[in-house]
Amino acid sequence: MRSALFYYDIEDFINDNGIASPGTGIGSNCLYNIDHFKLYGGEIEAAVRLGERFRATAAYVYQKYDADKSGFEEDWTYYLPALLPKHKVKLLARYKVWEDGWLQFSSRYVASRKTQKGSKLEDYITVDVGFEQGFKFNGMEYTAKAFVNNITGTDYEEIAGYKMPKYLWGFQVGVKF
């Protein structure tokens, strides 16, 4: 088990305000000052190991903010403090299929949050699966991974205006020196 509390108390927080429409990549680099900004919350994580074959982790994050009003909020293209979701949950399970071969399942929940000009990003859940195989060759350790992220095909945006891929698959090879 692990838990943490956090509290940030920032004076003169800079809100980077890109005035471009979402997705264009063109911005104005307008900066506005928020006199006083506080971000606080907590996180709790639990990990369990059942025998040599099964491992699982679950984590929950709660975060909230308070910010002084500057009078410019209505004209901002986005308001950085409001882009943070209040709730996030992550789950991870790994099952050892054979020597150094792991089947992995993970899921992530992100709560709804405000975004550009008062619109809202809906909450979403993604599910990922993968397989990892470790092996040794010529005295070096290697890892090969194959994965599919968002296997349910969830439509979601982490940042407003930027749709995430419906499915993302990949293959990765790593070496440990």
Side-chain angles (χ1 to χ4, degrees):
M1 292 284 296
R2 182 183 72 81
S3 65
L5 297 174
F6 57 88
Y7 177 80
Y8 297 92
D9 189 341
I10 303 169
E11 292 191 30
D12 297 323
F13 180 83
I14 303 299
N15 188 78
D16 177 8
N17 185 26
I19 296 179
S21 55
T24 65
I26 302 170
S28 66
N29 291 328
C30 290
L31 302 174
Y32 293 95
N33 189 59
I34 299 172
D35 290 336
H36 201 177
F37 171 75
K38 295 177 187 174
L39 176 66
Y40 51 93
E43 178 178 356
I44 187 163
E45 181 179 291
V48 64
R49 187 176 189 164
L50 300 175
E52 290 296 315
R53 293 192 171 270
F54 182 77
R55 298 176 185 169
T57 304
Y60 170 73
V61 176
Y62 172 83
Q63 56 191 6
K64 194 170 178 181
Y65 74 90
D66 290 320
D68 289 349
K69 298 289 183 192
S70 68
F72 296 111
E73 290 84 3
E74 297 303 316
D75 295 328
W76 289 349
T77 304
Y78 58 85
Y79 183 56
L80 286 175
L83 299 182
L84 302 171
K86 190 180 276 189
H87 306 280
K88 293 189 289 187
V89 177
K90 292 182 183 181
L91 304 172
L92 171 68
R94 290 172 51 105
Y95 180 76
K96 188 175 185 179
V97 180
W98 51 69
E99 186 65 30
D100 296 326
W102 293 89
L103 181 62
Q104 182 170 296
F105 166 87
S106 63
S107 184
R108 180 172 59 132
Y109 166 78
V110 177
S112 63
R113 61 228 180 266
K114 294 180 183 176
T115 184
Q116 284 100 343
K117 295 263 186 182
S119 63
K120 179 179 166 184
L121 286 176
E122 296 298 323
D123 56 348
Y124 63 88
I125 296 174
T126 60
V127 178
D128 308 330
V129 295
F131 182 78
E132 176 182 315
Q133 179 66 53
F135 58 95
K136 292 182 181 180
F137 182 73
N138 283 341
M140 307 231 347
E141 292 182 35
Y142 295 87
T143 305
K145 298 178 184 179
F147 59 89
V148 179
N149 292 347
N150 195 18
I151 63 170
T152 56
T154 300
D155 288 323
Y156 71 101
E157 296 177 14
E158 290 183 1
I159 299 172
Y162 299 93
K163 290 194 177 288
M164 298 304 291
K166 201 162 204 56
Y167 307 98
L168 177 67
W169 59 271
F171 183 75
Q172 179 181 2
V173 176
V175 63
K176 190 185 289 185
F177 296 98

